[in-house]
């Protein structure tokens, strides 16, 4: 009898501590580290989802490509193994229109990014993303301008000779940097720090926030202000996964995504104000470059790789910016 009572007590206590399984468990694979605004936005998103759904939706976010490298994460979402990630021009491997998300020397400032996203091209990008990749965009996160880091100053394209540069697995990046004279090596982001440390590559290019949170200041001395890409990324969920949600949870999910974008935007703007000073304090030297020489040397290399239809879109974007 005593044994039965003790066992019953443990069962009772266990039932008190039992947490009900969520109706929907979402797994998100992110390439950025936990200190980055994108990861912080996903953590905030998860809190909103759990609170507003009464625990029916739970989001687990995994930083630094723990679950999968970026292109693998997309394929895993498409096969239903995981559910969410952030992505942009890497999707040009599926549909050419996505190349405009991070096209070198196309956009000059964040205002142009907003105009593009909210215009006809932004709408088409979202439609083709959904139709051709099976990924549903949930707003966007600004990424800031991408700059080149290295262990020697790069002021002119001539200085790139012999430089082994990591680029993401995006055709336009390879085309642009090879036209400028660098030797490009497409590589998963999670492999970049070690490759720089070991000397397998000499340089990489990314926004300042990603340079800081990834610790590249430990293995790179210079930030060369090429500003060659002003870009954004899309938080996405697999469309098949989303369509399995009950209608009430779809509504909660989409509204929380709107709030996530606003939250990330606030973090991004606050971070941009101080990031340069923080990198300088960590020992990095900022180098002004001959931007005109970079644009001229790159020339028509990217344009010539585009299909005739995409060339027309490219010319339209350039014409609008020149008028403004």
């Amino acid at each position: 009898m005593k044994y039965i009572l003790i066992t019953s007590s443990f069962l009772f206590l266990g039932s008190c501590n039992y947490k009900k399984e969520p109706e929907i468990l979402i797994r998100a694979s992110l390439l950025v580290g936990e200190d980055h605004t994108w990861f912080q936005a996903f953590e905030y998103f998860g809190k909103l989802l759990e609170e507003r759904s009464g625990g029916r939706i739970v989001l687990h976010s995994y930083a630094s490509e723990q679950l999968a490298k970026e292109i693998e994460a997309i394929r895993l979402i498409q096969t239903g193994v995981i559910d969410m990630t952030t992505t942009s021009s890497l999707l040009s491997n599926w549909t050419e229109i996505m190349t405009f998300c991070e096209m070198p020397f196309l956009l000059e400032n964040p205002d142009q990014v907003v105009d593009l996203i909210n215009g006809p091209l932004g709408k088409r990008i979202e439609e083709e993303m959904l139709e051709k990749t099976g990924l549903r965009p949930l707003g966007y996160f600004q990424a800031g301008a991408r700059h080149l880091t290295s262990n020697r100053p790069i002021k002119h394209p001539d200085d790139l000779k012999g430089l082994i540069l990591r680029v993401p697995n995006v055709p336009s990046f390879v085309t642009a940097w090879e036209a400028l004279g660098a030797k490009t090596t497409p590589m998963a982001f999670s492999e970049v720090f070690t490759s720089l440390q070991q000397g397998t590559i000499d340089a990489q290019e990314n926004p300042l926030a990603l340079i800081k949170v990834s610790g590249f200041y430990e293995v790179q001395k210079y930030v060369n202000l090429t500003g060659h890409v002003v870009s954004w990324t899309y938080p996405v969920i697999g469309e098949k996964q989303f369509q399995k949600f009950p209608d009430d949870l779809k509504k909660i999910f989409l509204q929380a995504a709107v709030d996530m974008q606003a939250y990330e935007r606030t973090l991004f703007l606050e971070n941009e104000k101080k990031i340069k000073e923080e990198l300088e304090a960590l020992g990095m030297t900022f180098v002004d470059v001959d931007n005109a020489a970079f644009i001229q040397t790159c020339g028509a290399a990217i344009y010539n790789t585009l299909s005739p239809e995409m060339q027309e879109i490219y010319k339209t974007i350039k014409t609008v910016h020149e008028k403004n």
Side-chain angles (χ1 to χ4, degrees):
M1 179 63 72
K2 183 178 180 181
Y3 173 78
I4 293 172
L5 288 172
I6 292 172
T7 303
S8 299
S9 298
F10 275 116
L11 288 173
F12 175 75
L13 289 171
S15 66
C16 290
N17 294 326
Y18 174 73
K19 187 174 182 180
K20 185 179 178 181
E21 286 294 317
E23 188 173 331
I24 295 173
L25 176 61
I26 302 170
R27 294 200 302 166
S29 175
L30 304 175
L31 68 84
V32 298
E34 294 182 1
D35 292 337
H36 196 278
T37 59
W38 298 352
F39 182 84
Q40 292 167 1
F42 263 72
E43 289 286 275
Y44 177 73
F45 185 43
K47 290 178 183 177
L48 294 182
L49 290 174
E50 194 162 356
E51 289 171 2
R52 294 177 183 179
S53 71
R56 293 169 66 196
I57 307 177
V58 171
L59 168 64
H60 292 167
S61 299
Y62 298 84
S64 305
E65 297 187 324
Q66 292 175 56
L67 287 185
K69 294 178 172 57
E70 187 179 1
I71 199 163
E72 294 168 351
I74 293 166
R75 294 191 177 111
L76 289 175
I77 292 171
Q78 291 170 331
T79 57
V81 177
I82 63 174
D83 309 291
M84 294 189 69
T85 190
T86 57
T87 189
S88 54
S89 60
L90 193 67
L91 294 181
S92 61
N93 290 288
W94 281 265
T95 174
E96 189 180 11
I97 197 75
M98 298 302 300
T99 194
F100 287 104
C101 295
E102 290 184 294
M103 184 171 285
F105 304 110
L106 177 66
L107 304 180
E108 298 175 3
N109 57 64
D111 290 339
Q112 291 179 355
V113 167
V114 174
D115 290 342
L116 189 153
I117 290 171
N118 292 328
L121 179 57
K123 182 175 177 59
R124 178 173 171 182
I125 285 172
E126 292 185 2
E127 288 173 350
E128 290 204 18
M129 196 187 315
L130 187 60
E131 178 186 344
K132 296 187 178 182
T133 73
L135 302 178
R136 171 180 285 265
L138 304 167
Y140 68 93
F141 297 156
Q142 289 230 22
R146 296 177 78 103
H147 300 290
L148 175 71
T149 68
S150 60
N151 283 321
R152 67 176 191 248
I154 306 293
K155 298 182 178 181
H156 189 276
D158 291 346
D159 300 328
L160 291 169
K161 186 175 181 180
L163 191 81
I164 302 173
L165 170 64
R166 177 270 174 181
V167 293
N169 190 18
V170 177
S172 62
F173 278 63
V174 174
T175 298
W177 286 105
E178 289 190 349
L180 289 166
K183 296 179 180 178
T184 61
T185 301
M187 180 184 296
F189 183 76
S190 56
E191 299 173 8
V192 177
F193 184 91
T194 302
S195 296
L196 288 168
Q197 193 175 43
Q198 295 175 347
T200 308
I201 56 175
D202 303 315
Q204 67 84 47
E205 50 76 54
N206 261 301
L208 297 182
L210 206 49
I211 291 169
K212 179 178 180 290
V213 300
S214 303
F216 291 150
Y217 53 84
E218 296 179 15
V219 288
Q220 299 270 266
K221 180 170 177 56
Y222 296 98
V223 178
N224 308 284
L225 296 171
T226 50
H228 52 280
V229 172
V230 181
S231 62
W232 68 97
T233 194
Y234 292 98
V236 298
I237 185 170
E239 178 65 2
K240 291 179 181 177
Q241 291 90 318
F242 177 73
Q243 291 303 332
K244 292 178 182 177
F245 292 11
D247 287 344
D248 63 328
L249 293 187
K250 283 181 181 177
K251 184 176 180 180
I252 289 171
F253 184 87
L254 293 175
Q255 183 55 55
V258 171
D259 297 336
M260 170 178 64
Q261 177 178 311
Y263 180 76
E264 195 281 333
R265 179 66 175 165
T266 300
L267 294 179
F268 172 78
L269 292 174
E270 290 175 354
N271 199 45
E272 285 291 288
K273 293 177 183 177
K274 58 186 180 181
I275 190 69
K276 184 176 178 181
E277 290 180 1
E278 290 176 346
L279 286 171
E280 286 177 327
L282 289 165
M284 298 199 84
T285 300
F286 284 75
V287 178
D288 291 320
V289 307
D290 186 343
N291 290 98
F294 274 83
I295 294 170
Q296 183 178 4
T297 303
C298 190
I302 296 173
Y303 177 83
N304 290 336
T305 66
L306 300 173
S307 67
E309 183 188 6
M310 296 300 119
Q311 287 179 344
E312 290 304 311
I313 294 174
Y314 181 93
K315 287 190 289 187
T316 299
I317 295 171
K318 282 290 191 182
T319 300
V320 169
H321 292 165
E322 287 168 3
K323 287 182 179 178
N324 295 336

